[in-house]
Amino acid sequence: MSNFLGSHAINMDAKGRLAIPTKVREELAHLCGGRIVLTANADEEKCLLLYPEPEWEVLRPKIEALPNMNKAAKRLQRLILGNAAPMELDASGRILVPQPLRKHANLEKRLMLVGLGKKYELWSEESWNAYLDDSAGDEEMPPEMEALSL
């Protein structure tokens, strides 16, 4: 069971390579031998999703099982499965982000790796900061959040 938390500022080079922070790398090495899947986020936020391989293998059949005659389900399948890039951290803990995924998330040099429990999100630093600055007060709060005490 993964427990990815926190935000990490990282850099990507001109070839699309980025080094996973040491703490994250160690957890990924322990959890999945450094084997991960990187894919597009299907939400309106333009970021990437980074799954350890075991988490991906739980999620993938659920996405595949969606009714492909439904336009929304087919779109989700195309975004998530069609952009999935299995990869393994190299000896230095780096990965190469494929160009289509870099373009999808508007990734350039400065990035943010954000832990969400079972996965990470990979954002451009600019998009991440804009997301944090955006007031989400316009959205209706789901009942589960109304009962949450922080």
Side-chain angles (χ1 to χ4, degrees):
M1 163 80 57
S2 49
N3 191 26
F4 302 134
L5 303 172
S7 299
H8 310 271
I10 55 178
N11 291 318
M12 181 173 63
D13 69 16
K15 294 180 182 178
R17 294 178 301 204
L18 60 92
I20 301 293
T22 303
K23 183 177 184 243
V24 175
R25 182 182 333 152
E26 289 170 354
E27 190 167 5
L28 288 170
H30 173 72
L31 185 65
C32 59
R35 291 181 311 279
I36 62 171
V37 175
L38 193 62
T39 192
N41 185 10
D43 289 340
E44 66 276 0
E45 291 93 21
K46 293 291 185 181
C47 67
L48 302 181
L49 305 175
L50 186 154
Y51 289 95
E53 189 179 65
E55 290 293 341
W56 172 255
E57 291 306 326
V58 170
L59 177 64
R60 188 184 64 161
K62 294 175 184 178
I63 297 170
E64 290 172 347
L66 293 172
N68 64 11
M69 296 303 286
N70 177 287
K71 279 187 169 187
K74 191 66 166 179
R75 177 169 168 40
L76 180 80
Q77 289 171 328
R78 287 178 174 144
L79 280 170
I80 302 288
L81 300 175
N83 284 296
M87 53 187 68
E88 191 167 345
L89 303 181
D90 70 11
S92 301
R94 294 178 306 180
I95 60 171
L96 175 64
V97 180
Q99 176 60 32
L101 289 175
R102 291 193 311 247
K103 183 178 177 185
H104 171 80
N106 302 313
L107 300 183
E108 294 180 7
K109 181 178 173 68
R110 297 166 58 109
L111 311 176
M112 291 299 295
L113 185 65
V114 181
L116 294 180
K118 295 182 179 185
K119 66 180 178 267
Y120 279 98
E121 289 180 338
L122 186 61
W123 291 75
S124 76
E125 185 181 68
E126 182 180 335
S127 295
W128 175 248
N129 288 334
Y131 175 78
L132 292 178
D133 291 342
D134 185 30
S135 75
D138 297 341
E139 292 185 32
E140 190 174 319
M141 188 178 299
E144 298 84 3
M145 284 180 60
E146 290 175 3
L148 182 63
S149 243
L150 299 176

